Amino acid sequence: MDSAAAAGSGAEVVYSCGYFRLYKDGRAERTRAACLATPAGFDAETGVTSRDVVIDAATGVAARLYLPAVQPAAARLPVLVFYHGGYFVVGSPSHPLFHRYANALAAAARVIVVSVRYRLAPEHPLPAAYDDAWAALRWVASGADPWLADHGDLCRVFLSGVSAGANIAHNIAIAAGTTPAAAVRIEGVILLHPSFASEQRAEEEDEEFWRCNKVRWGVIFPGADGGLEDPRINPMAGGAPSLAKLAGERMLVSTALEDPRAPRGRAYCDAVRASGWRGELERFESQGEHAFFVSEHGSREVAKLMDRVADFVGGH
């Protein structure tokens, strides 16, 4: 980032991390590292082939599809719709870290991955990302893409995401479970280190982290109903849709011991169980920091979590 330019602008920085600066006036400055991109194609390490598709040219919603080697050729593979992380502000399917993770996931779980490129805040404030995520799921359900039509089992669709992307996956599962004639059957939901919050700090929640979340949410979703009491960031808020209506027959929620988001993830699991949701829920906790499985590669903890995700998709 150009610190001199930022200082000269006179705008107030309300949130800053290693990837971006967020200004009170609704602007964002992103680092070069946050904007890196890897082209789609064949990945020799995993044997997975990827390609980019446009879902809606008007809004810019797109996706990168990942197809593992199909043996036998007629085999039908589950379809996993994946929403990347990045605070709703950075990230894309083509970022090297998310691209590598999607390749590994497609190979390990034997699944077609549809990694969604949704619009980013603050240029496109929320709920744009939620709208794009829903449009992508409806596109998947239509079977319009030849890879999905020829190789995908559209009766076995999974939703997944990491961090902000896991928040999106939760909200799409709610939408699928509460929308009449949604025509989308979700078999399972995988929330990896989900990002939730509320106006009241949880007892175990780091205070500085909670305050930063509150400020950031106000900038990226200025129209939120009640700030952090909006049900899209606080699924347990008063007036939020019942968690019993979540789509899916099974759910896997992954948390990490050193992740400040973990207390909210644990509370979410408790709330889903208490709601009377009829599905099977499992919480899987790892050693490590937030989203370590995206930035790291090949460690024991990464392998353990990937094995659990692959087993979940396989129905084990």
Side-chain angles (χ1 to χ4, degrees):
M1 295 176 186
D2 188 341
S3 300
S9 69
E12 180 184 350
V13 176
V14 296
Y15 187 88
S16 180
C17 70
Y19 302 101
F20 65 90
R21 274 200 191 103
L22 197 60
Y23 292 89
K24 188 175 183 179
D25 63 7
R27 292 182 300 110
E29 288 180 347
R30 298 171 177 88
T31 64
R32 290 182 180 179
C35 301
L36 295 175
T38 298
F42 178 72
D43 181 65
E45 182 179 350
T46 60
V48 172
T49 303
S50 60
R51 63 183 179 83
D52 295 322
V53 298
V54 175
I55 294 173
D56 186 340
T59 60
V61 184
R64 179 165 290 186
L65 274 63
Y66 295 81
L67 181 68
V70 183
Q71 295 178 345
R76 291 280 175 175
L77 303 176
V79 178
L80 187 145
V81 182
F82 180 78
Y83 304 109
H84 67 78
Y87 306 85
F88 299 99
V89 178
V90 296
S92 76
S94 63
H95 189 279
L97 295 181
F98 288 118
H99 178 66
R100 181 179 66 184
Y101 179 76
N103 273 316
L105 177 59
R110 304 293 303 159
V111 63
I112 298 174
V113 175
V114 180
S115 184
V116 179
R117 188 183 76 193
Y118 53 85
R119 287 171 291 175
L120 299 177
E123 294 86 352
H124 302 282
L126 294 172
Y130 298 124
D131 295 340
D132 295 349
W134 179 248
L137 178 60
R138 296 298 300 269
W139 175 82
V140 166
S142 75
D145 185 84
W147 279 7
L148 298 177
D150 295 343
H151 305 294
D153 183 351
L154 295 180
C155 291
R156 297 197 65 205
V157 175
F158 292 81
L159 298 176
S160 184
V162 52
S163 192
N167 172 287
I168 292 173
H170 156 78
N171 280 285
I172 297 306
I174 285 287
T178 57
T179 303
V184 181
R185 180 188 177 276
I186 306 300
E187 178 171 330
V189 180
I190 306 167
L191 305 184
L192 304 170
H193 302 185
S195 180
F196 298 123
S198 78
E199 287 289 329
Q200 299 298 317
R201 183 173 68 89
E203 184 177 348
E204 299 178 72
E205 196 170 22
D206 179 80
E207 183 170 359
E208 182 179 357
F209 174 77
W210 169 75
R211 291 186 183 280
C212 287
N213 253 350
K214 182 177 174 66
V215 171
R216 178 174 56 86
W217 183 253
V219 176
I220 66 175
F221 198 174
D225 185 10
L228 290 179
E229 291 308 296
D230 188 292
R232 284 163 284 198
I233 192 67
N234 181 9
M236 289 82 83
S242 171
L243 295 173
K245 296 181 179 179
L246 281 161
E249 302 168 7
R250 296 180 290 129
M251 177 178 286
L252 173 65
V253 179
S254 166
T255 56
L257 290 172
E258 297 173 49
D259 182 2
R261 297 159 187 80
R264 295 280 177 186
R266 299 183 193 114
Y268 173 84
C269 290
D270 293 340
V272 172
R273 291 190 178 104
S275 73
W277 185 62
R278 296 181 179 275
E280 299 178 7
L281 186 148
E282 176 190 353
R283 184 170 66 84
F284 185 90
E285 191 151 77
S286 303
Q287 298 283 344
E289 299 180 346
H290 181 63
F292 68 88
F293 53 91
V294 175
S295 57
E296 299 177 16
H297 188 59
S299 73
R300 175 180 291 184
E301 288 297 307
V302 170
K304 285 166 59 178
L305 179 54
M306 181 63 80
D307 287 346
R308 187 66 205 97
V309 171
D311 286 347
F312 181 87
V313 174
H316 303 300

